[in-house]
Amino acid sequence: MAHTDQHQCHVLCRSCDLVVQKRALPSPVRALCPRCGTALYDTPYCSINGMLALCIAALIMFFPANLLPVLEIHFLGSIRNTTAFQAAIAVGDQGYWVVGVAVAISAVIAPLLLLSSILAQVCIAKFALHLELGKKTLRMLLKQQGLLSQLTMLEIYVLSFLVSAFQLSDFADVHMGMGTFCFTMLFLLLLFLQREYNLEHMWGLLDDN
Amino acid sequence: MTTSSSLDNQTQIQGMNKGLCLCKVCRKINLTSNGSCTRCHAPLATRNYASIGQSWALLITAVILLVLANIYPITLITNRGVVTNDTIFSGTVHLVKTGMIPIAIIVFTASVLVPWLKIIGLAIYLTAISFNLPVSKKKLMVGFHIIEWIGRWSMLDLFVISITVALVNMGQLLDAKPAPAATAFALVILLTQLAAKVLDTRLLWDRLEPQNDAK
């Protein structure tokens, strides 16, 4: 009995295993571990509909962002351009497949999987939480969430095509186009989506039912 | 299980001593005696003692690869028939020489500073746990969170290489190709991220604890 009570009003720090008493927090405040400073919890709030909107917008943006060239150079009359995925393939073709795979996963595959996973989670939360299959799928998706969001590196990719543009402007004319714009928009949408998303809250959905 | 009367001890109870344990997958508090998490069904473990050894192994491999990544060229550029090998460092120096200081700072941070800082930081962290060094645990923890966060930024270098290789590909006139250090650098990023992820940081707080409040 005593143990079940402790469950509710305590949290454990994931970094140092300290037992911390849980208190109610106002919404923009985050509780930090008093001993090691790790973020412990905040008021888990996320608007399911807002997430759905951001997620669909990001998925729509994903396709032009990856099909249109992110960078184009004009060099002595010849024009060359590349998308994120083609760039990964190009490095792989040179025999550096470790680099190619790393680039493809972090710039293309992981973001797509992350978006699809969040879309599926939101749909389950809205429509299928009462079904056993829905709960099972949600549990499976939530387990992968941490890994997927760590592998997604759109912010770094956006910075990297700016860096490449500056470096290449030494040799050739560099042009940015619709693809660059879409990629940047994709990055912004995902950024806001990840701000809205709260893993703790999503796990909480499984608790209540 | 001792309930000490001192305030310090009361405010610093470890979950392990109370028979509680955090699920490492979904972060739900569980009774350790349950065996597996009630929410996500993942197996529970109070501490992962093997993680120090695993983390050391990954880190040492990463150090060897990082040295290789810095010695060998990372790109091979052909400009009007002249072939130049650029290492990570010479690439940054070249940027400074051409006057692109802000870009040089970004590239230097992502490809030189971050990997080295990360490896040195993790090494200090692991040494402190393994040999019980009297270092401030709080500072170590702050450093560790920074390491976890900045680690991914090294990917910048690989993205830039991939874009350059895909765009600049015109035979003898102008051509860019990756060189051996690129693979080594990619592995350094992977291994250091894993080393930080594998490590069970709760061990740091356990190991130095008995000294502080010995009976």
Side-chain angles (χ1 to χ4, degrees):
Chain A
M1 284 289 267
H3 271 305
T4 21
D5 280 347
Q6 279 170 3
H7 265 78
Q8 307 301 326
C9 58
H10 287 96
V11 279
L12 290 183
C13 172
R14 72 189 155 92
S15 301
C16 75
D17 206 23
L18 182 74
V19 180
V20 183
Q21 210 143 45
K22 202 168 182 175
R23 295 197 177 89
L25 289 177
S27 63
V29 178
R30 203 162 48 150
L32 300 182
C33 173
R35 185 160 70 167
C36 72
T38 308
L40 291 180
Y41 60 93
D42 42 26
T43 353
Y45 168 79
C46 53
S47 120
I48 293 285
N49 287 329
M51 271 166 47
L52 184 61
L54 281 167
C55 196
I56 292 173
L59 272 173
I60 293 173
M61 217 29 119
F62 184 87
F63 295 97
N66 282 284
L67 294 174
L68 299 174
V70 287
L71 218 58
E72 193 177 283
I73 63 169
H74 296 210
F75 178 74
L76 299 178
S78 73
I79 298 174
R80 300 195 61 90
N81 57 35
T82 186
T83 65
F85 199 69
Q86 280 169 359
I89 299 281
V91 194
D93 275 348
Q94 300 279 344
Y96 294 88
W97 56 268
V98 175
V99 183
V101 168
V103 172
I105 288 180
S106 49
V108 186
I109 298 169
L112 181 62
L113 288 179
L114 182 71
L115 285 174
S116 328
S117 164
I118 293 181
L119 183 67
Q121 290 169 27
V122 170
C123 289
I124 291 173
K126 269 179 90 80
F127 307 114
L129 206 53
H130 52 279
L131 300 176
E132 195 48 44
L133 181 69
K135 275 190 220 171
K136 242 179 162 168
T137 322
L138 184 59
R139 188 177 297 131
M140 191 196 76
L141 290 173
L142 288 176
K143 279 188 180 183
Q144 307 305 325
Q145 182 70 19
L147 180 67
L148 278 184
S149 60
Q150 229 186 4
L151 287 178
T152 301
M153 303 184 188
L154 288 183
E155 72 278 28
I156 306 170
Y157 202 87
V158 169
L159 189 64
S160 80
F161 60 62
L162 294 177
V163 170
S164 330
F166 273 103
Q167 281 191 349
L168 290 169
S169 63
D170 235 15
F171 309 102
D173 287 338
V174 180
H175 293 265
M176 295 186 173
M178 211 47 202
T180 324
F181 172 75
C182 291
F183 208 97
T184 314
M185 288 310 289
L186 175 65
F187 145 69
L188 285 175
L189 285 167
L190 197 70
L191 185 77
F192 281 109
L193 180 60
Q194 280 178 312
R195 272 177 60 119
E196 201 72 18
Y197 186 91
N198 185 310
L199 191 57
E200 198 66 22
H201 178 85
M202 297 306 276
W203 276 116
L205 293 177
L206 281 174
D207 268 350
D208 302 337
N209 295 260
Chain B
M1 283 296 181
T2 45
T3 40
S4 164
S5 53
S6 105
L7 188 76
D8 245 55
N9 269 356
Q10 257 183 359
T11 49
Q12 303 222 333
I13 302 168
Q14 304 269 109
M16 190 164 65
N17 304 331
K18 283 191 132 186
L20 295 173
C21 149
L22 205 63
C23 169
K24 68 180 192 306
V25 178
C26 76
R27 294 192 189 163
K28 183 185 169 61
I29 290 196
N30 279 277
L31 291 172
T32 314
S33 51
N34 279 355
S36 67
C37 176
T38 50
R39 182 159 70 179
C40 70
H41 310 326
L44 293 171
T46 39
R47 296 290 185 272
N48 180 4
Y49 291 102
S51 75
I52 296 184
Q54 291 164 351
S55 201
W56 268 120
L58 290 165
L59 188 69
I60 292 169
T61 321
V63 172
I64 298 169
L65 285 166
L66 185 59
V67 172
L68 294 179
N70 278 278
I71 293 175
Y72 285 101
I74 196 160
T75 48
L76 210 144
I77 293 175
T78 313
N79 192 358
R80 297 190 169 84
V82 186
V83 181
T84 40
N85 287 316
D86 258 332
T87 61
I88 292 177
F89 197 70
S90 75
T92 325
V93 171
H94 178 76
L95 279 176
V96 175
K97 277 184 187 155
T98 45
M100 290 187 276
I101 304 292
I103 302 293
I105 292 173
I106 295 175
V107 172
F108 181 78
T109 312
S111 57
V112 183
L113 215 55
V114 169
W116 282 111
L117 273 182
K118 209 165 123 178
I119 282 187
I120 294 168
L122 273 174
I124 294 175
Y125 198 94
L126 283 172
T127 329
I129 301 183
S130 306
F131 303 106
N132 249 330
L133 295 184
V135 205
S136 156
K137 286 184 281 183
K138 205 160 186 163
K139 278 181 192 147
L140 280 178
M141 209 61 223
V142 171
F144 187 79
H145 287 314
I146 297 174
I147 287 171
E148 264 188 324
W149 188 79
I150 59 169
R152 330 153 15 102
W153 281 92
S154 306
M155 275 301 284
L156 180 79
D157 224 34
L158 295 183
F159 288 148
V160 170
I161 291 173
S162 77
I163 293 176
T164 317
V165 167
L167 284 176
V168 183
N169 176 11
M170 290 158 215
Q172 288 295 301
L173 270 179
L174 190 61
D175 194 23
K177 279 193 166 63
T183 301
F185 195 73
L187 291 173
V188 169
I189 301 172
L190 180 72
L191 292 175
T192 46
Q193 284 301 86
L194 273 180
K197 203 177 163 63
V198 156
L199 186 63
D200 190 343
T201 52
R202 294 173 296 188
L203 289 170
L204 171 72
W205 300 85
D206 288 347
R207 293 240 171 155
L208 307 183
E209 214 66 64
Q211 289 181 329
N212 300 343
D213 41 51
K215 281 170 211 157

